[in-house]
Amino acid sequence: MGLRLWISMSLLRKIEAEAATILSRAGILRDVSLEGTFEVPPRPELGDLATKVCFTLASKLRKSPAEIAAQACSEAEVAEGGLIERVEAKGGYINFYFNWPRVAEELLKEALKPGYGKPVVKPMRVMVEHTSVNPNKALHIGHARNACLGDFVSRLLRFAGHEVIVANYIDDTGTQVADIVVGFLHLGFPLEKEGVKFDQYCGDDVYVRVNRMYSEKPELLEKRREVMKLIDEGGNDVADFARKLAERVLRSQLQTLWRLGVYYDLLNWESDILRAKLWEQAFRKLKAGGYVYYAEDGKAKGCWLLKLSHLPEFSKLESPDEILVRSDGTVLYPGKDIAYAMWKHGLLEDTFSYKIFSRQPNGKLLWTTTVGEGDREHPKFNDVELSINVIDVRQSYEQKVVAAALQMLSRGEKKYIHYAYEVVSLSRRTARKMGIEADESRQFIHMSGRRGWYVNADTLLEALYQKALEETRKRNPDASREFLEKTAEAIAVSAFRYEMLKVSPDKMIVFDLDEALKLEGNTAPYLQYAHTRCAGILRKAGDWSPEYKPRSLKEPEKALLRHILMYPKAVESALRDLRPIHICSYAHKLATLLNEFYQKCPVIKAEEHTRSFRLTLVKAAKCTLASALDLLGIVPLERM
RNA sequence: GGCCCCGUAGCCUAGCUCGGAUAGGGUGCAGGCCUUCGGAGCCUGUGGCGUGGGUUCAAAUCCCACCGGGGCCGCCA
């Protein structure tokens, strides 16, 4: 997973280049590349930037790192008026000390320009597919993790200048939709429940109850098979009903997603994929290219299999080839998924029709695939170089097969990334509170849609909203209701997203409701609070003109400047592995440094020159923080 | 049986790709900071790399083995 396509033109790179020039004048380091050897010293007295290059050179030069560093520093020449003022050797490291008036001036000017931190990339066309929740239920917090990660990746890639198409795949033909169709058509469930959000009604009530009834009345499973067959064939009342039903659930899910600030470009319906005959197209190509074969005998007799045994990563497996078509001629999920991936990457003709589904609250149009005519004029959605598919880790093997198939079919031209993430489970405490009777010896309980063991995203969002509302009211007793509600909503959404993003995708989140409702410490409100403090200072300052050049700097100011300087690096790290943690940590550190600065360096009451400089610094820090928060989908607030 | 992921203080978590300075946060607990730009804050203390080997001048990081937890393994999605 990851992209390596950026070139950065930031001030940081300029400083690193100057450091390299300085050291190149020392004989011992002539022609040595410093690329990737820079780091931030652990303590300010060790300088503002360091290189560990002497360590890697030690064995080659048969000298200790300390000797090399000392010699290099004695021979190095610092240019007058440059960005670096002084070079010192210490413990094998070469430490650089900034010429602060110049660095601060250039940095503040750069950070105040819109788009600070944006890397220069070769723009790519990318499809990010995420969420993809079966349209028979409300999103639970595991689905929300998927959406938050996918949305982060989309925001990041767009920030970097890529052309991003965000898709949400809607499986309206699977067993889960069939289950609720059985409920409505054969078990007499009413078509709505007063006062209950439709997706919640379908998932919490109908789906769970229908599944309970399967064990009591096994003949119901026969009904489901009938329903699924009709849905699969299409062009009948049951199929039409199922599609309309799925659409209603989807609209309800979208309310939650939009509330979370997650938006899409395209909805891709499985029933439309069937009707567009993507699989038939793909199967012809697979056969023509000799990628598949028909099994004449063996365990998979009568099936069509994808050849994988020649690939090293599959060759060790007992049965490396993957069954794509059952012996009865029907297609399996990996087959469909390969066809769909081929469509994404432009390896199949685009046989979909499209129409506008909705205008989203952010003003952007949401398109959908559709049956029949569709709009003649529509954006081009497929034919991307890169697709990023956010799907939980349990499907890793199947995704590996799809990626391998695409690799073969495109001869390595197209890149299919499975963005895997671990599931969200429930803490024992929370499960017990919800009345789930699970194995008490386990430290956590896996969620289960069929059994009704889950926490809905709506439920958590609402709990966060109430908590935030209460806290905001406490702090703003005289504020208008509109302000309180708007602020609480921004806090709730931000807190939700940050909880999902601050943990590495390959760690399971054991969700605990009480823990999740805390709004102190390393949480979104902490970041938002630092932002409002900046806003508060700037608001109070009245009219002022910027001052970029400091006369002297206190340590908290330097620390803040150093961290602002590092923003492009945080963005690059995130782009490298697509993980939000880099931006989360960056934003948290920036907020901490702002709070320390706030404590130790008075702005408004400072003497005039310092006042102007500090105001400029606060503004730059605020801009940088807002930029990082935007990437995470956290709402930067002016007051809270 | 094969394969994949995780294991860092009481609890949660960063650092592991690319080995280097005293392992960074949060929470909890103990204490301190309100005549100073907003206390969702700041400061001090407390406590940690699953185990055993190996490679290296140097290992949380790389290699091997083991232990513990989770997941996936051809006609489900």
Side-chain angles (χ1 to χ4, degrees), chain A residues 420-436:
Chain A
Y421 66 96
E422 262 290 353
V423 296
V424 178
S425 63
L426 304 176
S427 73
R428 247 193 322 192
R429 184 165 58 157
T430 295
R432 202 180 300 133
K433 257 193 196 167
M434 293 169 58
I436 294 171

Side-chain angles (χ1 to χ4, degrees), chain A residues 197-199 247-256:
Chain A
K197 202 159 156 276
F198 191 63
D199 56 351
E247 188 170 319
R248 234 183 119 188
V249 174
L250 175 65
R251 285 194 189 271
S252 196
Q253 291 177 346
L254 284 171
Q255 283 177 23
T256 307

Side-chain angles (χ1 to χ4, degrees), chain A residues 175-221:
Chain A
T175 56
Q176 299 204 10
V177 168
D179 285 334
I180 61 168
V181 170
V182 167
F184 290 120
L185 295 185
H186 298 288
L187 296 169
F189 280 89
L191 260 170
E192 56 192 297
K193 192 164 160 188
E194 190 65 22
V196 181
K197 202 159 156 276
F198 191 63
D199 56 351
Q200 292 181 16
Y201 168 55
C202 289
D204 302 355
D205 204 337
V206 182
Y207 182 56
V208 172
R209 277 163 65 188
V210 169
N211 268 285
R212 225 176 276 149
M213 288 161 93
Y214 284 143
S215 45
E216 295 156 19
K217 297 190 202 166
E219 66 272 21
L220 272 180
L221 289 166

